[in-house]
Amino acid sequence: MTKTIEVRNPRTGKFDYVIIPPPPRLLAQQCNRARRAQSRWQELGVEGRITALQQWKQAILSRREQLTEALVNDTGRLSITVLEIDSFLASIDRWCGLAPELLQASAKNTSIPFIALQQSLVPYPLVGVISPWNFPLTLSMIDTIPALLAGCAVVVKPSEIAPRFVAPLLMALNTVPELRDILIFVEGGGETGANLINYVDFVCFTGSVATGREVAETAARRFIPAYLELGGKDPAIVLESANLELATSAILWGAVVNTGQSCLSIERIYVAESRFEEFYHQLIAKAHRLQLAYPLVEDGAIGPIIAERQAGIINDHILDAVEKGAVIHCGGKVEELGGGWWCRPTVMTNVNHSMKVMTEETFGPIMPVMPFPDVEEAVYLANDTIYGLSAAVFAGSEDEALKVARQLNAGAISINDAALTAMMHEGEKNSFNFSGLGGSRVGAAGLKRFLRKQAFLIKTNSTSDPWWFDRGD
């Protein structure tokens, strides 16, 4: 018998929601249903798929209030929830606008005069999306929307920590007959996600390095593509010439947005020695102004720690740093308030790379600040990591910043700002090191990765023999 999973509310600490994972046989049936329906979805053509997705968007808009409430209960925060919904709806429009051009077949002559080439794009029939809890809606849909437009059927397995948002999406989905059978949501934990990989043709996973390794290994045994976006330990480098007013504001935002619960968060900060003291004093002053979204969700910008396990990791990193000599200037502890776990923006100095807070993913609003004597040392420290997702560089000129940025092992580097990759969708990027595997999920590649190229080589003259055949005349 399948065990139910109780879901904790991050604001109250109460287990107030229940999901029932599908047994393997039911999961297989759901995947087979989507696979059978995929050919009809593909035959609709790109314009038909756009129409269906726009109908779904309108149905979601009519249920926006329910979706907002569900996401607030999933995550305990409001302002980011509003932004998450707006970004999701905008992504439907953006991909619908790009898809017709990206999905065009092509035909041309070749270097052999009587051989023509036609190329078509064939979607993977069934894509599995396994998404995390920190941005439940965004990260379940970031791969799903382009895959649908490419002509794939999609099965989404959201995190068991934040699954409430699925219900209003399903209510909207049921009003669009063309989508009902080719977009499936399955609720469950890690076992369900692992089982899902056995039934799909392409898997997208967003989450931890440890689980990502398991996903990659399972996908490799099945000989299917795996797209993995994993952890990050994003550095910010502040050069001597940087505008500190700009740098402190941008880095603070990049470090604490969504309470630091983002793989794109700034998690370690390196500042030129001559500007170090001035920088961290400004950062502390700005951090003090940020308030918790407590007791009311509207009260402040810092929401609760969504996953209870993560509260323990954040606390462990803080204690490890303090035990090794770090100095806490603000924040510095995980608090229980109203049953939820909270952490105020925390600035610490006297840190080094022997500390977990400088080397392991913290996933909280923690800002360790470390001075560097020269640019070579700054680059060395920034690259001293198993990760390579993104980074930021601040300098007095674009050229100076880019000179440093080009030496960093990271897929996306913000210049004189932080975490821009979360808002910019045009720049294709790849994760470095253990931060991920596979093609870019942004830019044109974000859609094209769900397609296989098929070439038709057409002989255009009436010669009966192959061109290379020597008849010996």
Side-chain angles (χ1 to χ4, degrees):
M1 182 178 177
T2 303
K3 291 184 178 180
T4 60
I5 297 176
E6 293 186 319
V7 183
R8 177 182 170 274
N9 186 307
R11 293 189 67 84
T12 67
K14 295 179 180 178
F15 292 85
D16 58 7
Y17 193 82
V18 173
I19 60 175
I20 304 174
R25 184 175 178 180
L26 177 57
L27 178 61
Q29 290 173 348
Q30 291 173 306
C31 290
N32 287 336
R33 173 163 65 93
R35 186 183 294 279
R36 287 194 301 270
Q38 183 269 333
S39 59
R40 296 194 302 274
W41 176 247
Q42 185 179 350
E43 289 167 3
L44 278 178
V46 63
E47 294 301 334
R49 297 194 289 272
I50 287 171
T51 298
L53 282 169
Q54 287 294 333
Q55 290 172 349
W56 188 38
K57 175 191 167 186
Q58 292 305 314
I60 292 168
L61 281 169
S62 69
R63 292 163 176 81
R64 180 172 181 133
E65 186 176 338
Q66 296 101 304
L67 180 58
T68 301
E69 181 181 359
L71 275 173
V72 168
N73 287 331
D74 275 332
T75 63
R77 36 72 163 169
L78 179 59
S79 60
I80 297 296
T81 288
V82 173
L83 179 62
E84 194 171 359
I85 294 173
D86 288 341
S87 298
F88 161 53
L89 297 173
S91 77
I92 295 177
D93 290 337
R94 184 176 68 254
W95 282 120
C96 285
L98 292 170
E101 181 180 352
L102 296 177
L103 295 174
Q104 282 183 350
S106 64
K108 63 179 182 179
N109 295 324
T110 69
S111 57
I112 301 172
F114 49 87
I115 303 294
L117 170 65
Q118 290 185 12
Q119 289 205 288
S120 63
L121 302 169
V122 182
Y124 288 92
L126 186 59
V127 172
V129 174
I130 303 171
S131 58
W133 48 262
N134 55 322
F135 288 96
L137 176 64
T138 298
L139 295 177
S140 65
M141 291 293 109
I142 194 169
D143 300 307
T144 298
I145 300 303
L148 289 171
L149 283 165
C152 312
V154 182
V155 180
V156 181
K157 204 296 286 183
S159 170
E160 68 277 19
I161 293 173
R164 299 170 183 84
F165 76 99
V166 170
L169 289 186
L170 283 175
M171 287 190 290
L173 189 65
N174 287 333
T175 69
V176 187
E178 293 84 359
L179 274 173
R180 272 195 306 241
D181 290 333
I182 56 91
L183 176 54
I184 308 292
F185 290 86
V186 294
E187 296 179 326
E191 184 179 354
T192 301
N195 287 336
L196 176 61
I197 303 170
N198 294 317
Y199 303 115
V200 299
D201 306 301
F202 187 116
V203 62
C204 298
F205 172 81
T206 308
S208 70
V209 172
T211 306
R213 280 178 176 272
E214 295 177 8
V215 170
E217 290 168 4
T218 303
R221 284 193 293 271
R222 291 207 55 238
F223 218 66
I224 64 172
Y227 173 88
L228 312 175
E229 177 131 330
L230 309 177
K233 191 69 182 175
D234 291 3
I237 295 176
V238 182
L239 300 176
E240 188 174 26
S241 61
N243 179 331
L244 294 193
E245 182 64 32
L246 169 67
T248 50
S249 293
I251 288 171
L252 178 63
W253 181 87
V256 307
V257 66
N258 198 33
T259 317
Q261 298 166 119
S262 170
C263 54
L264 303 172
S265 291
I266 296 296
E267 291 214 0
R268 49 201 176 103
I269 306 162
Y270 305 101
V271 183
E273 283 181 347
S274 62
R275 309 298 300 280
F276 174 70
E277 190 165 334
E278 183 184 2
F279 174 90
Y280 82 75
H281 281 297
Q282 281 194 34
L283 187 64
I284 293 164
K286 292 179 179 181
H288 271 302
R289 299 174 199 159
L290 296 177
Q291 301 299 314
L292 300 181
Y294 182 85
L296 301 178
V297 72
E298 303 88 354
D299 283 349
I302 307 299
I305 300 166
I306 298 170
E308 189 168 24
R309 177 177 175 272
Q310 201 64 40
I313 293 172
I314 295 169
N315 194 55
D316 176 58
H317 284 199
I318 293 171
L319 292 176
D320 174 75
V322 171
E323 287 173 2
K324 293 174 179 175
V327 177
I328 304 292
H329 298 277
C330 59
K333 63 179 179 178
V334 175
E335 309 171 59
E336 184 180 2
L337 298 171
W341 296 107
W342 304 77
C343 184
R344 299 174 193 274
T346 298
V347 177
M348 60 175 71
T349 57
N350 202 32
V351 294
N352 59 62
H353 280 216
S354 73
M355 301 173 181
K356 295 177 182 179
V357 77
M358 295 297 285
T359 56
E360 299 179 14
E361 188 172 40
T362 306
F363 230 58
I366 313 300
M367 293 163 279
V369 189
M370 183 175 177
F372 63 81
D374 51 53
V375 171
E376 290 74 18
E377 180 71 6
V379 170
Y380 170 79
L381 291 168
N383 287 336
D384 183 26
T385 178
I386 66 167
Y387 299 105
L389 195 59
S390 52
V393 179
F394 294 82
S397 73
E398 178 182 312
D399 287 344
E400 185 184 7
L402 282 170
K403 185 177 179 180
V404 173
R406 289 191 175 99
Q407 301 175 63
L408 301 183
N409 297 326
I413 301 165
S414 300
I415 302 299
N416 286 325
D417 211 329
L420 289 179
T421 186
M423 298 178 288
M424 298 298 296
H425 308 286
E426 291 86 356
E428 296 185 6
K429 62 185 177 65
N430 297 111
S431 300
F432 285 39
N433 303 328
F434 285 94
S435 280
L437 188 67
S440 175
R441 72 179 357 165
V442 293
L447 189 150
K448 288 184 174 180
R449 62 198 161 117
F450 297 110
L451 300 158
R452 295 159 292 177
K453 291 182 178 179
Q454 192 171 41
F456 299 96
L457 308 170
I458 305 165
K459 184 178 181 181
T460 58
N461 68 11
S462 57
T463 304
S464 59
D465 292 332
W467 67 271
W468 46 265
F469 185 69
D470 182 359
R471 292 175 296 177
D473 293 345

Short mmCIF file of all heavy atoms in Angstrom, two decimals, residues 5-52:
data_model
loop_
_atom_site.label_atom_id
_atom_site.label_comp_id
_atom_site.label_asym_id
_atom_site.label_seq_id
_atom_site.Cartn_x
_atom_site.Cartn_y
_atom_site.Cartn_z
N ILE A 5 2.10 11.18 2.18
CA ILE A 5 3.16 12.09 2.62
C ILE A 5 2.49 13.33 3.19
O ILE A 5 1.70 13.99 2.50
CB ILE A 5 4.09 12.47 1.45
CG1 ILE A 5 4.81 11.23 0.92
CG2 ILE A 5 5.11 13.52 1.90
CD1 ILE A 5 5.68 11.51 -0.31
N GLU A 6 2.78 13.64 4.43
CA GLU A 6 2.26 14.85 5.06
C GLU A 6 3.18 16.03 4.73
O GLU A 6 4.40 15.90 4.77
CB GLU A 6 2.14 14.68 6.56
CG GLU A 6 1.09 13.66 6.98
CD GLU A 6 0.91 13.62 8.48
OE1 GLU A 6 1.92 13.70 9.21
OE2 GLU A 6 -0.24 13.51 8.94
N VAL A 7 2.57 17.17 4.41
CA VAL A 7 3.32 18.33 3.95
C VAL A 7 3.25 19.43 5.01
O VAL A 7 2.16 19.80 5.47
CB VAL A 7 2.76 18.85 2.61
CG1 VAL A 7 3.60 20.02 2.11
CG2 VAL A 7 2.74 17.73 1.58
N ARG A 8 4.41 19.96 5.36
CA ARG A 8 4.53 20.96 6.41
C ARG A 8 4.32 22.37 5.86
O ARG A 8 4.81 22.71 4.79
CB ARG A 8 5.91 20.84 7.06
CG ARG A 8 6.24 21.87 8.13
CD ARG A 8 7.66 21.65 8.63
NE ARG A 8 8.10 22.75 9.47
CZ ARG A 8 8.65 23.87 9.00
NH1 ARG A 8 8.84 24.01 7.70
NH2 ARG A 8 9.01 24.83 9.84
N ASN A 9 3.60 23.20 6.61
CA ASN A 9 3.44 24.61 6.27
C ASN A 9 4.65 25.37 6.83
O ASN A 9 4.90 25.33 8.04
CB ASN A 9 2.15 25.15 6.88
CG ASN A 9 1.85 26.57 6.44
OD1 ASN A 9 2.68 27.46 6.57
ND2 ASN A 9 0.64 26.80 5.97
N PRO A 10 5.42 26.05 6.00
CA PRO A 10 6.66 26.68 6.49
C PRO A 10 6.43 27.85 7.43
O PRO A 10 7.35 28.23 8.17
CB PRO A 10 7.36 27.14 5.20
CG PRO A 10 6.27 27.28 4.20
CD PRO A 10 5.26 26.24 4.55
N ARG A 11 5.25 28.45 7.43
CA ARG A 11 4.98 29.57 8.35
C ARG A 11 4.53 29.09 9.71
O ARG A 11 4.85 29.71 10.73
CB ARG A 11 3.92 30.50 7.76
CG ARG A 11 4.35 31.24 6.51
CD ARG A 11 3.34 32.30 6.12
NE ARG A 11 3.28 33.38 7.11
CZ ARG A 11 4.10 34.42 7.15
NH1 ARG A 11 5.05 34.54 6.23
NH2 ARG A 11 3.98 35.34 8.08
N THR A 12 3.78 28.01 9.75
CA THR A 12 3.20 27.55 11.02
C THR A 12 3.87 26.31 11.59
O THR A 12 3.71 26.01 12.77
CB THR A 12 1.71 27.24 10.82
OG1 THR A 12 1.59 26.10 9.95
CG2 THR A 12 0.97 28.43 10.22
N GLY A 13 4.60 25.58 10.76
CA GLY A 13 5.19 24.33 11.18
C GLY A 13 4.21 23.18 11.24
O GLY A 13 4.58 22.04 11.57
N LYS A 14 2.96 23.43 10.93
CA LYS A 14 1.94 22.38 11.00
C LYS A 14 1.91 21.59 9.69
O LYS A 14 2.12 22.13 8.61
CB LYS A 14 0.57 23.00 11.25
CG LYS A 14 0.44 23.68 12.61
CD LYS A 14 -0.94 24.30 12.79
CE LYS A 14 -1.05 24.98 14.16
NZ LYS A 14 -2.38 25.64 14.34
N PHE A 15 1.60 20.31 9.81
CA PHE A 15 1.43 19.45 8.65
C PHE A 15 -0.04 19.51 8.27
O PHE A 15 -0.88 18.88 8.90
CB PHE A 15 1.90 18.03 8.96
CG PHE A 15 3.39 17.93 9.15
CD1 PHE A 15 3.97 18.19 10.40
CD2 PHE A 15 4.23 17.61 8.09
CE1 PHE A 15 5.35 18.12 10.57
CE2 PHE A 15 5.60 17.53 8.26
CZ PHE A 15 6.17 17.79 9.49
N ASP A 16 -0.32 20.32 7.25
CA ASP A 16 -1.71 20.65 6.95
C ASP A 16 -2.13 20.25 5.54
O ASP A 16 -3.16 20.71 5.04
CB ASP A 16 -1.96 22.15 7.15
CG ASP A 16 -1.05 23.02 6.30
OD1 ASP A 16 -0.32 22.49 5.45
OD2 ASP A 16 -1.05 24.26 6.50
N TYR A 17 -1.34 19.39 4.88
CA TYR A 17 -1.65 19.00 3.51
C TYR A 17 -1.11 17.59 3.31
O TYR A 17 -0.08 17.23 3.91
CB TYR A 17 -0.98 19.97 2.54
CG TYR A 17 -1.43 19.89 1.10
CD1 TYR A 17 -2.59 20.53 0.68
CD2 TYR A 17 -0.68 19.19 0.16
CE1 TYR A 17 -3.00 20.49 -0.65
CE2 TYR A 17 -1.08 19.15 -1.18
CZ TYR A 17 -2.24 19.80 -1.57
OH TYR A 17 -2.64 19.75 -2.89
N VAL A 18 -1.78 16.81 2.51
CA VAL A 18 -1.39 15.42 2.31
C VAL A 18 -1.35 15.12 0.82
O VAL A 18 -2.24 15.54 0.06
CB VAL A 18 -2.38 14.46 3.01
CG1 VAL A 18 -2.06 13.01 2.66
CG2 VAL A 18 -2.33 14.65 4.51
N ILE A 19 -0.32 14.41 0.39
CA ILE A 19 -0.28 13.91 -0.99
C ILE A 19 -0.16 12.39 -0.95
O ILE A 19 0.35 11.81 0.02
CB ILE A 19 0.86 14.53 -1.81
CG1 ILE A 19 2.23 14.21 -1.18
CG2 ILE A 19 0.68 16.03 -1.94
CD1 ILE A 19 3.40 14.70 -2.03
N ILE A 20 -0.64 11.77 -2.02
CA ILE A 20 -0.61 10.31 -2.12
C ILE A 20 0.20 9.95 -3.36
O ILE A 20 -0.26 10.14 -4.49
CB ILE A 20 -2.03 9.72 -2.22
CG1 ILE A 20 -2.87 10.17 -1.02
CG2 ILE A 20 -1.96 8.20 -2.29
CD1 ILE A 20 -4.33 9.76 -1.11
N PRO A 21 1.42 9.46 -3.18
CA PRO A 21 2.23 9.09 -4.35
C PRO A 21 1.58 7.95 -5.12
O PRO A 21 0.98 7.05 -4.52
CB PRO A 21 3.56 8.65 -3.72
CG PRO A 21 3.56 9.23 -2.33
CD PRO A 21 2.14 9.25 -1.91
N PRO A 22 1.69 7.97 -6.44
CA PRO A 22 1.14 6.87 -7.22
C PRO A 22 2.00 5.62 -7.09
O PRO A 22 3.23 5.72 -7.13
CB PRO A 22 1.17 7.41 -8.65
CG PRO A 22 2.31 8.38 -8.66
CD PRO A 22 2.33 9.00 -7.28
N PRO A 23 1.40 4.46 -6.95
CA PRO A 23 2.21 3.24 -6.99
C PRO A 23 2.84 3.10 -8.37
O PRO A 23 2.35 3.68 -9.36
CB PRO A 23 1.20 2.12 -6.72
CG PRO A 23 -0.14 2.72 -6.98
CD PRO A 23 -0.03 4.19 -6.75
N PRO A 24 3.93 2.36 -8.49
CA PRO A 24 4.63 2.26 -9.77
C PRO A 24 3.73 1.88 -10.94
O PRO A 24 3.88 2.41 -12.05
CB PRO A 24 5.69 1.19 -9.51
CG PRO A 24 5.97 1.30 -8.04
CD PRO A 24 4.65 1.64 -7.41
N ARG A 25 2.77 1.01 -10.72
CA ARG A 25 1.90 0.58 -11.82
C ARG A 25 1.04 1.75 -12.31
O ARG A 25 0.88 1.94 -13.52
CB ARG A 25 1.01 -0.57 -11.35
CG ARG A 25 0.14 -1.13 -12.46
CD ARG A 25 -0.62 -2.35 -11.98
NE ARG A 25 -1.49 -2.87 -13.02
CZ ARG A 25 -2.28 -3.94 -12.87
NH1 ARG A 25 -2.27 -4.60 -11.71
NH2 ARG A 25 -3.05 -4.35 -13.86
N LEU A 26 0.52 2.56 -11.38
CA LEU A 26 -0.30 3.72 -11.77
C LEU A 26 0.56 4.76 -12.47
O LEU A 26 0.14 5.38 -13.46
CB LEU A 26 -0.98 4.33 -10.55
CG LEU A 26 -1.81 5.59 -10.80
CD1 LEU A 26 -2.89 5.34 -11.85
CD2 LEU A 26 -2.42 6.10 -9.49
N LEU A 27 1.78 4.98 -11.97
CA LEU A 27 2.69 5.93 -12.61
C LEU A 27 2.96 5.50 -14.05
O LEU A 27 2.96 6.33 -14.98
CB LEU A 27 3.99 6.03 -11.82
CG LEU A 27 5.07 6.96 -12.39
CD1 LEU A 27 4.56 8.39 -12.48
CD2 LEU A 27 6.34 6.89 -11.56
N ALA A 28 3.19 4.21 -14.25
CA ALA A 28 3.43 3.71 -15.60
C ALA A 28 2.22 3.95 -16.49
O ALA A 28 2.37 4.34 -17.67
CB ALA A 28 3.77 2.22 -15.55
N GLN A 29 1.02 3.75 -15.95
CA GLN A 29 -0.19 3.99 -16.73
C GLN A 29 -0.34 5.46 -17.11
O GLN A 29 -0.72 5.79 -18.25
CB GLN A 29 -1.42 3.53 -15.93
CG GLN A 29 -1.53 2.02 -15.77
CD GLN A 29 -2.64 1.61 -14.82
OE1 GLN A 29 -3.22 2.45 -14.11
NE2 GLN A 29 -2.96 0.33 -14.79
N GLN A 30 -0.03 6.36 -16.16
CA GLN A 30 -0.11 7.79 -16.45
C GLN A 30 0.87 8.19 -17.54
O GLN A 30 0.55 8.97 -18.44
CB GLN A 30 0.14 8.59 -15.17
CG GLN A 30 -0.96 8.47 -14.13
CD GLN A 30 -0.59 9.13 -12.83
OE1 GLN A 30 0.46 8.85 -12.24
NE2 GLN A 30 -1.44 10.03 -12.35
N CYS A 31 2.08 7.66 -17.46
CA CYS A 31 3.09 7.97 -18.48
C CYS A 31 2.68 7.41 -19.84
O CYS A 31 2.86 8.06 -20.88
CB CYS A 31 4.45 7.42 -18.06
SG CYS A 31 5.18 8.29 -16.65
N ASN A 32 2.13 6.21 -19.85
CA ASN A 32 1.69 5.61 -21.11
C ASN A 32 0.54 6.41 -21.72
O ASN A 32 0.47 6.55 -22.95
CB ASN A 32 1.28 4.16 -20.88
CG ASN A 32 2.46 3.24 -20.65
OD1 ASN A 32 3.59 3.55 -21.06
ND2 ASN A 32 2.25 2.13 -19.97
N ARG A 33 -0.34 6.93 -20.88
CA ARG A 33 -1.44 7.76 -21.40
C ARG A 33 -0.89 9.00 -22.08
O ARG A 33 -1.34 9.37 -23.17
CB ARG A 33 -2.38 8.14 -20.24
CG ARG A 33 -3.47 9.13 -20.64
CD ARG A 33 -4.58 9.16 -19.61
NE ARG A 33 -4.15 9.64 -18.31
CZ ARG A 33 -4.23 10.92 -17.93
NH1 ARG A 33 -4.70 11.82 -18.76
NH2 ARG A 33 -3.83 11.27 -16.72
N ALA A 34 0.09 9.65 -21.44
CA ALA A 34 0.68 10.84 -22.05
C ALA A 34 1.42 10.49 -23.33
O ALA A 34 1.35 11.21 -24.33
CB ALA A 34 1.64 11.51 -21.05
N ARG A 35 2.12 9.37 -23.34
CA ARG A 35 2.86 8.96 -24.52
C ARG A 35 1.91 8.69 -25.70
O ARG A 35 2.19 9.08 -26.84
CB ARG A 35 3.70 7.71 -24.21
CG ARG A 35 4.61 7.29 -25.33
CD ARG A 35 5.36 6.00 -24.96
NE ARG A 35 6.26 6.22 -23.85
CZ ARG A 35 7.47 6.76 -23.97
NH1 ARG A 35 7.89 7.17 -25.15
NH2 ARG A 35 8.24 6.91 -22.92
N ARG A 36 0.79 8.03 -25.44
CA ARG A 36 -0.16 7.74 -26.51
C ARG A 36 -0.77 9.02 -27.08
O ARG A 36 -1.05 9.12 -28.28
CB ARG A 36 -1.28 6.83 -25.99
CG ARG A 36 -0.85 5.38 -25.76
CD ARG A 36 -2.06 4.48 -25.58
NE ARG A 36 -2.89 4.90 -24.45
CZ ARG A 36 -2.75 4.48 -23.20
NH1 ARG A 36 -1.77 3.62 -22.91
NH2 ARG A 36 -3.54 4.90 -22.24
N ALA A 37 -0.98 10.01 -26.21
CA ALA A 37 -1.60 11.26 -26.66
C ALA A 37 -0.62 12.19 -27.36
O ALA A 37 -1.03 13.14 -28.03
CB ALA A 37 -2.23 11.97 -25.46
N GLN A 38 0.68 11.93 -27.23
CA GLN A 38 1.68 12.87 -27.75
C GLN A 38 1.60 13.05 -29.26
O GLN A 38 1.80 14.17 -29.77
CB GLN A 38 3.09 12.39 -27.35
CG GLN A 38 4.22 13.32 -27.76
CD GLN A 38 4.80 12.98 -29.13
OE1 GLN A 38 4.73 11.81 -29.56
NE2 GLN A 38 5.36 13.98 -29.80
N SER A 39 1.31 11.99 -30.00
CA SER A 39 1.27 12.12 -31.46
C SER A 39 0.18 13.10 -31.89
O SER A 39 0.39 13.89 -32.83
CB SER A 39 1.08 10.76 -32.11
OG SER A 39 -0.14 10.17 -31.67
N ARG A 40 -0.96 13.08 -31.21
CA ARG A 40 -2.03 14.03 -31.54
C ARG A 40 -1.59 15.46 -31.22
O ARG A 40 -1.89 16.40 -31.96
CB ARG A 40 -3.31 13.70 -30.77
CG ARG A 40 -3.91 12.36 -31.14
CD ARG A 40 -5.34 12.23 -30.61
NE ARG A 40 -5.42 12.38 -29.16
CZ ARG A 40 -5.25 11.38 -28.29
NH1 ARG A 40 -4.96 10.16 -28.75
NH2 ARG A 40 -5.36 11.58 -26.99
N TRP A 41 -0.88 15.62 -30.12
CA TRP A 41 -0.37 16.93 -29.73
C TRP A 41 0.63 17.45 -30.77
O TRP A 41 0.56 18.60 -31.19
CB TRP A 41 0.28 16.82 -28.36
CG TRP A 41 0.94 18.05 -27.83
CD1 TRP A 41 2.27 18.23 -27.62
CD2 TRP A 41 0.31 19.28 -27.43
NE1 TRP A 41 2.52 19.47 -27.10
CE2 TRP A 41 1.32 20.15 -26.97
CE3 TRP A 41 -0.99 19.73 -27.41
CZ2 TRP A 41 1.08 21.43 -26.50
CZ3 TRP A 41 -1.27 21.01 -26.94
CH2 TRP A 41 -0.24 21.85 -26.51
N GLN A 42 1.51 16.57 -31.22
CA GLN A 42 2.48 16.97 -32.23
C GLN A 42 1.79 17.34 -33.54
O GLN A 42 2.17 18.31 -34.21
CB GLN A 42 3.48 15.82 -32.47
CG GLN A 42 4.61 16.17 -33.43
CD GLN A 42 5.57 15.01 -33.61
OE1 GLN A 42 5.52 14.02 -32.89
NE2 GLN A 42 6.47 15.13 -34.57
N GLU A 43 0.75 16.59 -33.91
CA GLU A 43 0.03 16.84 -35.16
C GLU A 43 -0.73 18.16 -35.15
O GLU A 43 -1.07 18.68 -36.21
CB GLU A 43 -0.90 15.68 -35.45
CG GLU A 43 -0.17 14.40 -35.86
CD GLU A 43 -1.07 13.18 -35.85
OE1 GLU A 43 -2.29 13.33 -35.56
OE2 GLU A 43 -0.55 12.07 -36.08
N LEU A 44 -0.99 18.71 -33.97
CA LEU A 44 -1.65 20.01 -33.91
C LEU A 44 -0.82 21.10 -34.60
O LEU A 44 -1.36 22.10 -35.05
CB LEU A 44 -1.88 20.43 -32.45
CG LEU A 44 -3.08 19.88 -31.70
CD1 LEU A 44 -3.07 20.40 -30.27
CD2 LEU A 44 -4.38 20.26 -32.39
N GLY A 45 0.48 20.88 -34.66
CA GLY A 45 1.36 21.91 -35.19
C GLY A 45 1.62 22.98 -34.16
O GLY A 45 0.93 23.09 -33.13
N VAL A 46 2.62 23.81 -34.44
CA VAL A 46 3.02 24.80 -33.44
C VAL A 46 1.90 25.79 -33.16
O VAL A 46 1.68 26.20 -32.00
CB VAL A 46 4.33 25.51 -33.87
CG1 VAL A 46 4.15 26.29 -35.15
CG2 VAL A 46 4.82 26.43 -32.75
N GLU A 47 1.14 26.20 -34.17
CA GLU A 47 0.07 27.18 -33.93
C GLU A 47 -1.03 26.58 -33.06
O GLU A 47 -1.59 27.25 -32.20
CB GLU A 47 -0.49 27.68 -35.26
CG GLU A 47 0.49 28.50 -36.08
CD GLU A 47 1.01 29.73 -35.37
OE1 GLU A 47 0.29 30.25 -34.47
OE2 GLU A 47 2.14 30.18 -35.67
N GLY A 48 -1.35 25.29 -33.28
CA GLY A 48 -2.35 24.65 -32.44
C GLY A 48 -1.88 24.51 -31.00
O GLY A 48 -2.68 24.68 -30.05
N ARG A 49 -0.60 24.23 -30.82
CA ARG A 49 -0.06 24.11 -29.46
C ARG A 49 -0.04 25.47 -28.77
O ARG A 49 -0.31 25.57 -27.56
CB ARG A 49 1.34 23.48 -29.51
CG ARG A 49 1.32 22.06 -30.06
CD ARG A 49 2.61 21.31 -29.80
NE ARG A 49 3.75 21.78 -30.58
CZ ARG A 49 4.08 21.36 -31.78
NH1 ARG A 49 3.33 20.46 -32.40
NH2 ARG A 49 5.16 21.81 -32.40
N ILE A 50 0.27 26.52 -29.53
CA ILE A 50 0.24 27.87 -28.96
C ILE A 50 -1.16 28.21 -28.51
O ILE A 50 -1.37 28.75 -27.40
CB ILE A 50 0.76 28.89 -30.00
CG1 ILE A 50 2.27 28.76 -30.17
CG2 ILE A 50 0.39 30.32 -29.59
CD1 ILE A 50 2.83 29.57 -31.32
N THR A 51 -2.15 27.89 -29.32
CA THR A 51 -3.54 28.18 -28.95
C THR A 51 -3.92 27.48 -27.65
O THR A 51 -4.53 28.07 -26.76
CB THR A 51 -4.48 27.73 -30.09
OG1 THR A 51 -4.19 28.49 -31.26
CG2 THR A 51 -5.94 27.95 -29.70
N ALA A 52 -3.54 26.21 -27.52
CA ALA A 52 -3.87 25.46 -26.31
C ALA A 52 -3.19 26.06 -25.08
O ALA A 52 -3.80 26.19 -24.01
CB ALA A 52 -3.46 24.00 -26.48
#
